[in-house]
Amino acid sequence: VNGHANGSTKPSEKTVDSRTDPERWRLRNERGVQTWHYLHSDEEVKQWPMTIADRHYLGLDTGLPQLPAARTPLQASENGLNYYSKLQLEPGNWGCEYGGPMFLLPGFIVTLYVTDMPLTQSEQTEIVRYIFNMQNLGSKNGGDGGWGLHVEGDSTVFGTAMNYTALRLLGVSPDDPCMRKARGCLYDLGGALNGPHWAKFWLALLGVMNWEVVNPVPPELWLLPDWTPISPWRWWIHMRMIFLPMSFVWSKRWVYPKADTDPLIRQLRQELFMQPHDEIAWSRYRNAISPADNYNPKSWLLNLINYFLVLIWVPYLRFDWLIGRAERWCWKLIQMEDANSDYADLAPVNSPMNLLACYIEEGPDTHSVRRHRERLQEFLWLGKDGMMANGTNGVQNWDTAFTIQAMFEAGFATKPEHHQTLLMAVEFLEDQQFLEHPVGYEKSPVYSDPPTAETSPEHGYRHVRKGAWGFSNRAQGYTVSDCTAEALKSTLMLQTLTDPNDSTQSLFPMVIPEHRLKWAADILLTMQNKSGACSSYEPTRGSERLELLNAAEVFGRIMVEYDYPECTTACVTTLHRFRQLFPDYRANEIRRFIDTAVQWIRTNQRDDGSWYGSWGICFTYAGMFAVESLCTQGETHANSEHLRRACAFFLHRQNQDGGWGESYKSCETAKWCPHPDGSQVVQTAWVIIALVCAQYPDKEPIARAVKLLMQRQQPNGEWLQEGIEGVFNKSCMISYPNYKFIFPIQALGMYAKRFGDADVE
Ligand code: LAN
């Protein structure tokens, strides 16, 4: 039942009859900016041939040949690489779908509907197909006809009300049997009034709900002095960048102007609720939420604040001058965000919201609106189940850096036949490094060189970025700690390699010059928290107690940056490598950084020997990283109590078949939960890497795991898609389809290096 070639797992059993011709879709990739195009004429089809990667993404036969059957781990690794390297794109990176979350497309569809900027017919057809394919029908997640927060999740009001609405806005009839089923599910969950804050926000501006049902989102918060402990600049960047346009739209109580006359909106007003629309006492439902959605209930404090805002602040104290000032400052910050990312924005939640803010403020057909509209295309991705919204505008830098590392660790970097692949990959990274700080930084009072983590309103509270890498591409513009680290590490790996036959010759040119490598290290040095650990986009700026103001209900741990073993390890292992090459560069700072970071990793280990993962599922993911950190200090299974406990944790959970399989429920519950489908290729590879790295002395359990990876490999070298791999905010899963290549290639190669490359019978 698992998906075939790519990310989205377990499509539902409904066969969607309406689809476009898959042979006519092409991915365009201009310096890492990726968009999908449907070719209408045969002439275009002839001039723009389909690539193997296109075919792979769409689940079509790639035509790649059967390879000689692998007898040894290294042969299996190389077979995997043979397949995977054919997927490399022209600019040097790897692409992939990045689906999972089921709340992104509806935001796009609502925004494009109210601004009257429809998608093309072929895009609409494929989006409808995708949403139906992800519906919980048949054996999929209970089969109740709804949608979950993410593709593998049980139905929620958020998923169901929003995807139902999206389908209706895309022209699907309410009488379609699947739509009836979806309404049934929605009513069982209490109807759209039981949706979380974000659902209410979207449905209010669409004119289906009344703004009174939306808990306040006051932009006045942005006027608080920076020293206040709750100032939005201290929040996790995703929350504050969503709060920003959301508060702007809320403040205006903007509603789709044609809502009252548009027959479709009037029908939705009937379809989404269990009671007659004009009888609903909206304000009574501000806090209504179904248990299925309420992963993170609002705190007593937030409820109190909401009462104060609704009963006192909004009616009596929100003076016009205050509203004006708050909206003007928000608008300024929205413009800074747009300028700093060329209208791509941080992610596909704030991107359509910022588009809407520009539409409201500047009107249709203005530069800001047009540019936003263009850049939205970068989030749309076509997979075998249809067209989805990716969680970011791609996974370019991240997958490319990991691919280089996997090839390096497996010993392929010195082989001439793989040289070109690696050269193109590092050239891609070179092209994607940020070469300038955010707009306004050079003139801001906190400017310094080398930079610090200090920030100021003059540059929109952004973190510095000269020398950094983002997760996707340069055009997006956001520093991420571990993306910078992994890109720098992979560059260092290649640029320090010497010719095995002549150690005075480097194998790779200095694609990224020394001063830019140092800029990247400078960035890493700005990323450390007081605890010693690293977070994702910025060091932590606010107290964990801000979680009391978490209004999103459906996510946990979202209000501030936290300490993550994954991000911390990426920085540790990279700086460790960096100082071998540049022992004198900021030596004391780097030493202090590494020492305190590794010490934090040690204290973050749980009693059972594990580490909790925040960005991959879950203990297998974080465990691999944490072990790598400790290994930089010369720790091994033989000399380190921490590593012995880490290995024991894994070995106790090894399956009969030799592999490891962990369900996404581990992330939700913070307890190990076995995967319902058993061992997973990706998680098995993570554990092999950890055990080899820790120099676990007994070969036998690792050899069994290796055997599992080899058995799961297809005759053409590929591995098939299994369960979803990634996570964010504890409750939402997201797919990393290239992991099924990257980590097995690395694990098999590392195993062969350590234990020898003998036949596996
Ligand atoms: C990502 C994707 C990459 C991820 C790693 C680099 C793997 C991680 O180590 C650091 C955090 C980061 C950059 C990350 C943060 C949150 C993102 C951007 C995502 C998980 C992809 C989608 C998600 C974003 C928040 C989705 C929009 C939804 C909201 C709730 C705002």
Side-chain angles (χ1 to χ4, degrees):
V1 285
N2 281 330
H4 170 58
N6 251 298
S8 38
T9 44
K10 293 196 188 166
S12 80
E13 279 153 26
K14 178 185 158 88
T15 43
V16 185
D17 0 289
S18 177
R19 64 173 303 173
T20 61
D21 176 2
E23 304 275 341
R24 287 176 179 267
W25 284 98
R26 304 287 184 273
L27 179 71
R28 172 177 295 154
N29 186 341
E30 282 166 340
R31 295 179 68 184
V33 174
Q34 300 176 158
T35 45
W36 281 94
H37 301 267
Y38 193 65
L39 308 183
H40 289 277
S41 77
D42 295 343
E43 192 49 38
E44 286 172 298
V45 172
K46 235 189 284 155
Q47 277 173 10
W48 187 353
M50 212 172 184
T51 63
I52 295 173
D54 291 335
R55 304 190 70 83
H56 171 83
Y57 303 139
L58 295 174
L60 303 172
D61 185 5
T62 55
L64 288 172
Q66 283 209 6
L67 302 167
R71 279 175 299 109
T72 70
L74 200 58
Q75 287 167 5
S77 176
E78 189 147 28
N79 281 357
L81 180 59
N82 264 324
Y83 183 94
Y84 182 56
S85 58
K86 303 287 187 317
L87 307 181
Q88 189 176 26
L89 301 170
E90 218 178 286
N93 70 301
W94 278 261
C96 69
E97 72 175 57
Y98 197 39
M102 284 308 289
F103 58 93
L104 302 174
L105 270 178
F108 278 44
I109 306 297
V110 168
T111 303
L112 296 180
Y113 190 83
V114 300
T115 57
D116 199 15
M117 297 190 292
L119 295 156
T120 65
Q121 193 51 54
S122 13
E123 290 163 342
Q124 296 191 25
T125 304
E126 288 299 324
I127 289 177
V128 168
R129 193 165 75 85
Y130 180 78
I131 297 180
F132 273 134
N133 270 328
M134 294 304 126
Q135 189 173 13
N136 291 335
L137 285 175
S139 64
K140 185 173 186 277
N141 303 330
D144 55 11
W147 289 266
L149 182 66
H150 57 94
V151 290
E152 290 195 5
D154 293 335
S155 301
T156 61
V157 175
F158 194 19
T160 307
M162 296 308 296
N163 284 292
Y164 182 91
T165 302
L167 287 172
R168 294 286 285 122
L169 297 180
L170 291 171
V172 176
S173 153
D175 300 323
D176 181 301
C178 291
M179 295 296 267
R180 286 178 197 276
K181 192 100 207 255
R183 278 200 306 278
C185 172
L186 182 60
Y187 298 157
D188 284 345
L189 292 167
L193 286 172
N194 259 354
H197 191 219
W198 290 8
K200 287 170 173 150
F201 169 81
W202 284 116
L203 292 172
L205 71 87
L206 183 60
V208 173
M209 286 193 174
N210 182 298
W211 274 109
E212 275 174 43
V213 80
V214 183
N215 270 319
V217 199
E220 299 84 275
L221 272 185
W222 284 101
L223 298 177
L224 290 172
D226 284 350
W227 54 261
T228 358
I230 66 165
S231 269
W233 73 275
R234 299 178 186 277
W235 305 1
W236 188 44
I237 194 160
H238 281 283
M239 286 309 114
R240 70 171 189 265
M241 294 327 279
I242 289 169
F243 180 83
L244 178 66
M246 211 180 200
S247 67
F248 186 82
V249 177
W250 175 84
S251 186
K252 307 217 175 255
R253 311 291 200 285
W254 188 88
V255 179
Y256 171 45
K258 296 188 209 142
D260 287 337
T261 52
D262 184 333
L264 187 49
I265 302 299
R266 297 168 66 138
Q267 287 164 20
L268 278 170
R269 288 176 182 173
Q270 305 313 317
E271 292 163 28
L272 292 181
F273 307 101
M274 299 165 79
Q275 47 279 79
H277 187 267
D278 32 311
E279 286 170 23
I280 297 175
W282 297 100
S283 60
R284 302 228 320 255
Y285 293 93
R286 278 188 303 107
N287 294 315
I289 182 154
S290 86
D293 291 66
N294 208 8
Y295 175 72
N296 196 82
K298 292 194 292 296
S299 67
W300 60 271
L301 181 67
L302 183 58
N303 284 327
L304 205 71
I305 293 174
N306 279 332
Y307 277 111
F308 166 76
L309 291 172
V310 170
L311 298 177
I312 297 169
W313 181 259
V314 173
Y316 302 115
L317 299 174
R318 235 185 144 232
F319 305 111
D320 284 348
W321 61 267
L322 188 65
I323 297 176
R325 268 192 63 191
E327 287 181 3
R328 267 197 310 282
W329 179 226
C330 276
W331 172 243
K332 193 90 199 288
L333 289 168
I334 288 170
Q335 286 181 304
M336 273 190 242
E337 157 74 341
D338 287 345
N340 267 314
S341 59
D342 188 17
Y343 299 88
D345 299 337
L346 178 61
V349 180
N350 82 327
S351 187
M353 287 183 187
N354 270 22
L355 185 159
L356 197 60
C358 290
Y359 182 90
I360 294 169
E361 184 67 22
E362 303 198 313
D365 218 21
T366 47
H367 170 73
S368 60
V369 170
R370 275 198 307 270
R371 187 68 187 135
H372 265 300
R373 175 68 188 82
E374 278 164 22
R375 296 222 64 185
L376 275 192
Q377 294 298 123
E378 289 171 43
F379 293 104
L380 296 176
W381 185 274
L382 192 67
K384 72 174 185 6
D385 299 317
M387 185 169 256
M388 69 201 82
N390 273 350
T392 56
N393 62 337
V395 192
Q396 296 86 325
N397 290 341
W398 186 248
D399 279 345
T400 304
F402 272 138
T403 301
I404 295 176
Q405 293 177 36
M407 291 175 68
F408 176 89
E409 296 288 4
F412 297 125
T414 48
K415 299 235 173 120
E417 60 272 33
H418 299 297
H419 186 82
Q420 191 56 26
T421 304
L422 286 166
L423 186 60
M424 278 171 65
V426 71
E427 281 171 354
F428 178 80
L429 292 180
E430 185 280 321
D431 189 43
Q432 300 300 322
Q433 190 181 22
F434 305 135
L435 302 181
E436 269 153 26
H437 285 306
V439 176
Y441 177 71
E442 317 299 311
K443 292 199 199 80
S444 84
V446 298
Y447 173 82
S448 76
D449 185 23
T452 68
E454 270 200 76
T455 190
S456 79
E458 280 80 2
H459 49 112
Y461 302 104
R462 292 275 306 252
H463 194 75
V464 287
R465 75 175 174 203
K466 188 176 83 179
W469 277 270
F471 180 68
S472 55
N473 57 21
R474 187 168 73 166
Q476 187 251 10
Y478 272 93
T479 300
V480 183
S481 66
D482 54 353
C483 300
T484 303
E486 302 295 358
L488 175 60
K489 196 199 316 173
S490 49
T491 307
L492 293 173
M493 282 174 170
L494 297 187
Q495 294 191 173
T496 51
L497 264 186
T498 52
D499 190 330
N501 303 316
D502 174 1
S503 62
T504 62
Q505 290 290 317
S506 332
L507 268 187
F508 288 85
M510 282 292 265
V511 176
I512 304 187
E514 182 177 322
H515 68 280
R516 279 169 55 185
L517 301 176
K518 288 179 175 165
W519 288 353
D522 289 340
I523 290 286
L524 296 184
L525 288 172
T526 67
M527 305 280 341
Q528 194 171 31
N529 291 325
K530 288 201 185 72
S531 63
C534 296
S535 303
S536 58
Y537 297 79
E538 297 156 349
T540 309
R541 296 173 173 184
S543 152
E544 204 171 318
R545 272 178 302 201
L546 274 167
E547 220 53 67
L548 290 169
L549 304 184
N550 175 353
E553 292 138 334
V554 293
F555 304 115
R557 298 222 306 172
I558 59 170
M559 289 303 288
V560 290
E561 284 275 13
Y562 290 90
D563 294 341
Y564 302 116
E566 304 96 308
C567 303
T568 309
T569 294
C571 296
V572 165
T573 49
T574 302
L575 287 173
H576 177 67
R577 204 169 264 279
F578 178 87
R579 77 171 161 193
Q580 292 168 352
L581 186 63
F582 303 111
D584 301 328
Y585 188 73
R586 301 184 70 178
N588 284 333
E589 290 155 278
I590 292 180
R591 185 181 41 77
R592 219 174 313 121
F593 186 111
I594 294 178
D595 289 349
T596 49
V598 175
Q599 191 45 36
W600 178 82
I601 295 275
R602 293 189 187 106
T603 57
N604 188 243
Q605 187 173 26
R606 303 177 356 151
D607 290 339
D608 61 6
S610 69
W611 286 267
Y612 175 80
S614 295
W615 306 111
I617 302 168
C618 174
F619 297 103
T620 46
Y621 183 69
M624 168 184 71
F625 283 96
V627 165
E628 287 173 347
S629 267
L630 300 183
C631 293
T632 61
Q633 305 305 298
E635 292 188 32
T636 65
H637 185 272
N639 67 18
S640 160
E641 157 70 15
H642 291 283
L643 287 183
R644 278 194 293 275
R645 277 168 46 219
C647 293
F649 175 85
F650 287 135
L651 289 160
H652 284 146
R653 285 159 187 80
Q654 187 170 24
N655 292 331
Q656 279 301 316
D657 61 10
W660 282 264
E662 193 184 359
S663 145
Y664 74 79
K665 301 268 180 208
S666 290
C667 306
E668 286 183 355
T669 60
K671 291 197 185 69
W672 174 276
C673 302
H675 199 289
D677 300 338
S679 298
Q680 303 283 302
V681 160
V682 172
Q683 293 167 341
T684 302
W686 288 337
V687 179
I688 296 175
I689 293 170
L691 294 175
V692 171
C693 212
Q695 300 185 35
Y696 184 71
D698 181 6
K699 171 174 154 181
E700 192 272 339
I702 316 181
R704 287 202 294 135
V706 160
K707 201 164 155 189
L708 179 101
L709 294 187
M710 291 175 67
Q711 283 163 348
R712 296 262 175 108
Q713 192 171 31
Q714 304 301 301
N716 60 4
E718 76 174 314
W719 282 274
L720 300 184
Q721 182 63 38
E722 300 177 339
I724 202 157
E725 304 87 351
V727 60
F728 57 90
N729 304 146
K730 295 181 82 176
S731 59
C732 193
M733 306 306 133
I734 188 157
S735 66
Y736 287 82
N738 285 335
Y739 282 3
K740 64 179 176 282
F741 299 106
I742 295 170
F743 292 104
I745 290 172
Q746 177 170 342
L748 291 166
M750 286 174 68
Y751 173 88
K753 247 196 220 170
R754 167 123 201 276
F755 293 107
D757 194 31
D759 280 14
V760 173
E761 66 310 331

